[in-house]
DNA sequence: CTTGCACTATACTGACCAGTCAACTACGGT
DNA sequence: ACCGTAGTTGACTGGTCAGTATAGTGCAAG
């Protein structure tokens, strides 16, 4: 992976920020350029279309998240603690955005996915791929829970997917009700869904 | 509630259909008018803005769904059967749309919610209200499960919300992966989340 | 016949959209 | 000093957007 030019990076980050805050359809290329302090010509020098930029912005943001998730889901820690840290991470993220924008923003990948899955196949695929990557973290966590004996599951892959459905749905609800406190029960709901055997939770 | 003029009804139904299939931002008032066979002047006679129409279309669609859900969630049936019927209803809906449009469309309220919650407060509120109505069905179902002894829950309201998070998240995943078969495990996942005691399922 | 009203028809406005283009600058290699 | 290339600039295009203006229609009541 060669390094990006600063212009390109600025565009990627500005685009994700603006789209995350409102939506793909309501953010214009001009908006992104103005906010990024880049001329439109440079934009189309760097990206061949708005849709292209969205895909690249997801890739860029995904790469940053991957680094964080590698720590959050480190196999060094017991699996239940990984889940707890993941939930905390989600809440921190959403809280930070809430203070910055005064609104619950939800997940940017889900936003793009729900808005454009039926219209833009490239974007749909990128969202699918990104969410799939997260599922893989959850999957290995679930598998470790099973081998520990904390959780029973015939199909850990399927259980991880169900867990992720629940988490994404909860974040969506928080966005729609514009209410951060809906995330307070995120972990306890996940624990219930997993049907963990001994009731215990870290500090 | 006085009855709507046929023009208005046609606009409401066409609008929901088009928005559901793509998105609010990508459907223009002209698109809606053309498809509905209505002139633009009539549109703005009937609704004061595009956003207004979206809210009215949700209300219209919600009212139709309410009639169906009153049957699906009829207190005459045992609560677990209600859940099963609800899941089946969701799958049927999605399957029908899939065959009609060749794509998994997901939930129209969630689409509008995820796309516009941060931008249009009227739309956000309408989505919130509509989803709240569905939660109430689930809530009374959960309460009946608890009184039956099939499920244990300190806070049935919270459990119903968690269940709905899971269901909405699963539908979102199906849309993003454009894969109906992700809904096959909808019921079994719900049952696991609820942590029902005796394993049984109706025919 | 006529007045008033609910509704329809269509042309229009001005803003904004994604994307293009040709001219320009900065700079490393020779 | 010269060139080639990578990147920048901002004006421009043609089309589309939400919303408006205004004239017209059909019809029912007086």
């Amino acid at each position: 992976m060669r390094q990006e030019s600063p212009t390109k990076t600025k565009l990627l980050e500005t685009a994700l920020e603006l789209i995350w805050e409102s939506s793909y359809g309501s953010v214009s290329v001009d908006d992104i350029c103005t906010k990024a302090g880049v001329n439109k010509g440079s934009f189309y020098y760097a990206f061949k279309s708005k849709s292209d930029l969205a895909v690249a912005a997801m890739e860029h943001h995904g790469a940053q998240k991957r680094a964080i998730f590698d720590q959050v889901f480190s196999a060094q820690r017991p699996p239940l603690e990984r889940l707890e840290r993941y939930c905390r991470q989600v809440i921190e993220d959403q809280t930070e955005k809430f203070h910055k924008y005064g609104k619950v923003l939800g997940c940017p990948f889900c936003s793009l996915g729900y808005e454009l899955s039926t219209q833009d196949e490239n974007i749909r695929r990128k969202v699918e791929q990104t969410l799939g990557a997260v599922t893989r973290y959850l999957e290995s966590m679930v598998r470790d829970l099973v081998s520990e004996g904390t959780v029973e599951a015939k199909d850990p892959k399927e259980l991880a997917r169900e867990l992720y459905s629940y988490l994404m749905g909860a974040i969506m609800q928080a966005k729609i009700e514009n209410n951060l406190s809906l995330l307070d029960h995120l972990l306890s709901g996940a624990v219930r869904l997993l049907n963990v055997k001994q009731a215990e939770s870290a500090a």
Side-chain angles (χ1 to χ4, degrees), chain A residues 93-114:
Chain A
D93 269 18
Q94 293 298 323
T95 305
E96 187 213 316
K97 298 296 172 192
F98 183 79
H99 288 138
K100 191 161 174 188
Y101 300 102
K103 285 163 182 172
V104 179
L105 299 194
C107 160
F109 300 104
C110 295
S111 284
L112 281 160
Y114 233 124

Side-chain angles (χ1 to χ4, degrees), chain A residues 27-203:
Chain A
V27 172
S28 72
V29 173
D30 288 300
D31 291 339
I32 295 165
C33 292
T34 303
K35 179 109 195 256
V38 165
N39 281 76
K40 206 165 182 180
S42 303
F43 179 100
Y44 281 98
Y45 181 79
F47 303 98
K48 71 179 223 291
S49 70
K50 187 186 175 188
S51 158
D52 235 54
L53 165 79
V55 172
M58 281 192 273
E59 173 56 39
H60 184 81
H61 187 66
Q64 290 178 312
K65 280 289 166 191
R66 238 172 283 138
I68 292 168
F69 284 5
D70 281 340
Q71 288 184 270
V72 166
F73 285 99
S74 163
Q76 292 302 316
R77 307 191 168 272
L80 215 53
E81 196 178 317
R82 292 178 228 162
L83 179 62
E84 197 211 322
R85 287 170 138 254
Y86 174 68
C87 290
R88 198 158 45 203
Q89 169 75 35
V90 166
I91 291 168
E92 271 169 29
D93 269 18
Q94 293 298 323
T95 305
E96 187 213 316
K97 298 296 172 192
F98 183 79
H99 288 138
K100 191 161 174 188
Y101 300 102
K103 285 163 182 172
V104 179
L105 299 194
C107 160
F109 300 104
C110 295
S111 284
L112 281 160
Y114 233 124
E115 183 181 352
L116 300 166
S117 276
T118 58
Q119 296 170 74
D120 188 312
E121 182 61 13
N122 289 329
I123 288 179
R124 194 198 64 74
R125 257 205 301 271
K126 190 72 201 176
V127 175
E128 179 178 1
Q129 180 201 315
T130 309
L131 299 188
V134 178
T135 312
R136 250 171 275 128
Y137 287 108
L138 294 174
E139 212 178 301
S140 82
M141 182 206 73
V142 168
R143 253 192 273 273
D144 289 351
L145 281 167
V146 170
S147 82
E148 242 186 26
T150 318
V151 159
E152 260 180 65
K154 288 173 200 161
D155 186 348
K157 196 174 178 117
E158 174 56 28
L159 184 54
R161 189 186 270 286
E162 282 164 12
L163 176 61
Y164 199 32
S165 288
Y166 162 72
L167 296 168
M168 292 195 307
I171 294 168
M172 173 158 73
Q173 278 199 47
K175 170 163 181 166
I176 288 170
E177 302 195 21
N178 193 32
N179 183 357
L180 267 186
S181 70
L182 296 190
L183 299 176
D184 289 346
H185 303 87
L186 198 61
L187 179 61
S188 65
V191 165
R192 178 165 189 129
L193 184 145
L194 289 171
N195 208 337
V196 306
K197 280 174 183 165
Q198 61 244 31
E200 62 160 351
S201 61

